[in-house]
Amino acid sequence: MNPENFDKAIITISKDELATLPAETFQGEIIVIDSPEKVASAVEDLLTADVIGFDTETRPSFKRGQSFNVALIQLCTPRRCYLFRTNLIGYPEELMKVFEDPNILKVGLSIRDDFHNLRKVNDIVPQGFIDLQNFVKDYKIADNSLSRLYAILFGKRVSKSQRLSNWEIPVLTEAQKSYAALDAYACISIYKYLKEGNFDASKSPYLTLPPDPEPIENKTEQ
C-alpha cells in the first residue's frame, strides 16, 4: 500500500473473519469477592498493578420496562482477576476509592455506559480511566468492540456467549467467571500492547481502504 493510500486506510475485521479465529481463554487466577471481608485484601493487591482492567456485568432483562442494577464488577491485573459481586456486597468504600483516584490507571471499554449504570445506585465520580474506544483511534483501528479489537491485535476471539446469562445467580458458573475475567483482562492486554509500541498498523492483515462514498445523484427540482 502506497503512503497516500495508507493515510486513508483503516483497520477493521469482518464478522466472518472474526468467526474463524480460535477462542481466547484467561490463564490467570480468578477470585470471587462475595463477602465484605474479602474486599480489603483484593484492593490491596490491585493497587500493586501498573494498570487495572475494568468491566461490569448486569443481569439481562427480557421484559419491557424492567431493568437490573450492576451485579458484577471485574478488576483485573495480568496475574489475577477479582470479581466483585455487587449484588451481594454492595459498593464498599475501598472499592469506590479505587474508581475515584486519578492516580490509579484503569482501562475499560465503553466505560460511559458502565458508570451510567453504576450511578443508579452509587454517586460515584470516576477518575483515572482510559476508554479503549477512544484510545484505539490513534492506531487507525476503526472497530470499537472488545472482540474485534482483541482479534485485530492478537488473532484470537473473545467469546461473548455468557453475556446474557444471569449474573445474579447464587453461585457463578465456571463459564461465567472465565468470561467475566477475560473481558477485563483483554482491556489490559489491548492497552499495553498498543502503549508499548508493539503494533505496526502498516503490517496488519486487516488494513483496508474504506469504501468510497456513494455519489449523490443530482435531482431536478420539481
Side-chain angles (χ1 to χ4, degrees):
M1 184 175 291
N2 64 50
E4 181 181 352
N5 285 342
F6 179 73
D7 289 340
K8 300 175 183 178
I10 60 172
I11 296 171
T12 181
I13 184 172
S14 71
K15 183 178 180 180
D16 290 340
E17 289 173 319
L18 182 63
T20 66
L21 298 178
E24 180 64 286
T25 57
F26 178 64
Q27 299 297 323
E29 182 181 10
I30 301 174
I31 301 176
V32 178
I33 308 301
D34 52 8
S35 67
E37 295 76 22
K38 298 179 181 180
V39 173
S41 60
V43 169
E44 183 179 0
D45 183 46
L46 286 164
L47 295 182
T48 65
D50 59 340
V51 58
I52 297 172
F54 163 77
D55 195 23
T56 68
E57 304 296 341
T58 302
R59 177 182 174 181
S61 171
F62 302 104
K63 295 181 181 179
R64 180 174 298 187
Q66 182 186 54
S67 63
F68 298 97
N69 295 325
V70 171
L72 190 72
I73 295 176
Q74 303 103 281
L75 293 176
C76 195
T77 74
R79 302 180 309 278
R80 61 181 59 91
C81 189
Y82 294 95
L83 307 182
F84 294 85
R85 301 204 67 189
T86 51
N87 63 307
L88 300 179
I89 67 173
Y91 299 84
E93 183 178 355
E94 302 101 313
L95 190 57
M96 296 303 100
K97 286 182 178 179
V98 173
F99 290 152
E100 296 183 332
D101 191 330
N103 299 312
I104 301 173
L105 179 61
K106 286 85 60 176
V107 179
L109 186 136
S110 191
I111 58 178
R112 181 177 180 178
D113 295 337
D114 289 310
F115 282 103
H116 172 75
N117 292 328
L118 286 171
R119 287 195 187 98
K120 293 178 181 178
V121 292
N122 188 282
D123 188 22
I124 188 173
V125 182
Q127 298 187 76
F129 279 85
I130 290 176
D131 193 325
L132 289 175
Q133 287 189 333
N134 298 322
F135 185 73
V136 301
K137 292 177 182 178
D138 292 336
Y139 298 87
K140 301 184 74 66
I141 300 175
D143 293 327
N144 59 14
S145 76
L146 189 67
S147 294
R148 292 177 185 243
L149 292 177
Y150 198 87
I152 287 169
L153 298 185
F154 303 107
K156 290 189 176 182
R157 174 174 47 85
V158 175
S159 172
K160 308 304 288 183
S161 62
Q162 295 297 311
R163 183 172 67 89
L164 296 180
S165 61
N166 182 3
W167 295 97
E168 295 184 4
I169 59 176
V171 179
L172 295 176
T173 67
E174 291 302 314
Q176 284 179 310
K177 288 188 285 186
S178 296
Y179 166 91
L182 180 57
D183 268 11
Y185 172 75
C187 291
I188 300 177
S189 300
I190 292 167
Y191 172 77
K192 294 186 72 140
Y193 193 80
L194 294 174
K195 190 70 174 178
E196 293 170 1
N198 295 314
F199 179 64
D200 185 345
S202 67
K203 296 180 180 179
S204 173
Y206 306 110
L207 187 69
T208 184
L209 287 172
D212 292 329
E214 294 183 4
I216 300 175
E217 296 181 0
N218 295 324
K219 294 184 178 180
T220 304
E221 292 185 3
Q222 300 295 324

